[in-house]
Amino acid sequence: MSDNPTPARPTQPFRIGHGYDLHRLEPRPPAGHGKPLVVGGVTLDHGLGPIAHSDGDALLHAVTDALLGAIAQPDIGQLFPNTDPRHESQDSAVFLEEAARRVRAANYDILNLDATVILEQPKLGPVKAQIRARIAQLLAIDESQVNIKGKTHEGVDAVGEGRAIETHAVVLIARRI
Ligand SMILES: [Zn+2]
């Protein structure tokens, strides 16, 4: 795995991290090049899917960047370049687990994660609990430390027209005493 120079080891008792992602959605083959729509490690039944080098899991990408951002480390695109053939259709769980490993290696624990998925269709409600459980499992934390919100974009702009999925994530980490 490519790696960047490690920045100075953070020492603050609490640190916050923010992550954002967006993937364009296209029809699934043969009509388009959309991959299966995976959100938070859960595959949704939908006629559209993300254009991506990896599996295009926008939620896991935002959470990964939030974790890496909290410890001031290089972002997901720097750690896992989309020019690297090893990441072709990669399960994004690999990225998230590496980010969580780095947080722990920096001597921090994850306190909580709050994330928002903006997706016009399908509705996230029926799978929210499953997504929450999967992310908690990947981060080795309790489900009570993970919150996932689903929103639509009210039919406006590309996200509202169903042509993209957008995600935001915030994490709080605490230095191990
Ligand atoms: Zn992404």
Side-chain angles (χ1 to χ4, degrees), residues 20-23 50-62 65 76 92 95 165 167:
Y20 166 83
D21 198 27
L22 180 145
H23 281 267
I51 299 300
H53 182 66
S54 67
D55 67 359
D57 190 328
L59 178 53
L60 293 195
H61 294 177
D65 260 351
I76 189 171
S92 296
F95 308 150
I165 176 173
T167 54

Side-chain angles (χ1 to χ4, degrees), residues 3-12 14-19 63-76 78-79 99 102-108 171 173:
D3 212 338
N4 294 33
T6 306
R9 193 180 171 92
T11 55
Q12 291 87 350
F14 296 99
R15 296 178 64 95
I16 193 165
H18 167 260
V63 176
T64 298
D65 260 351
L67 289 169
L68 293 170
I71 50 172
Q73 290 211 7
D75 67 31
I76 189 171
Q78 292 172 285
L79 289 183
R102 285 170 180 251
V103 167
R104 296 196 167 93
N107 206 35
Y108 281 80
V171 299
I173 61 174

Side-chain angles (χ1 to χ4, degrees), residues 4 30 48 145 177:
N4 294 33
L48 305 178
Q145 295 167 279
I177 300 162

Side-chain angles (χ1 to χ4, degrees), residues 84-158:
D84 189 334
R86 285 176 304 174
H87 303 142
E88 171 64 37
S89 292
Q90 173 75 260
D91 179 350
S92 296
V94 170
F95 308 150
L96 185 62
E97 286 177 321
E98 172 61 14
R101 188 195 67 75
R102 285 170 180 251
V103 167
R104 296 196 167 93
N107 206 35
Y108 281 80
D109 286 322
I110 300 164
L111 288 190
N112 77 302
L113 155 71
D114 189 21
T116 302
V117 177
I118 308 167
L119 180 64
E120 211 63 15
Q121 285 183 338
K123 294 293 177 222
L124 222 57
V127 292
K128 238 159 66 170
Q130 206 182 334
I131 291 172
R132 188 183 186 201
R134 176 61 177 154
I135 291 177
Q137 178 193 32
L138 289 171
L139 297 178
I141 58 178
D142 192 79
E143 283 181 37
S144 65
Q145 295 167 279
V146 177
N147 188 59
I148 308 296
K149 300 183 296 298
K151 307 276 284 182
T152 73
H153 212 265
E154 295 287 322
V156 298
D157 297 337

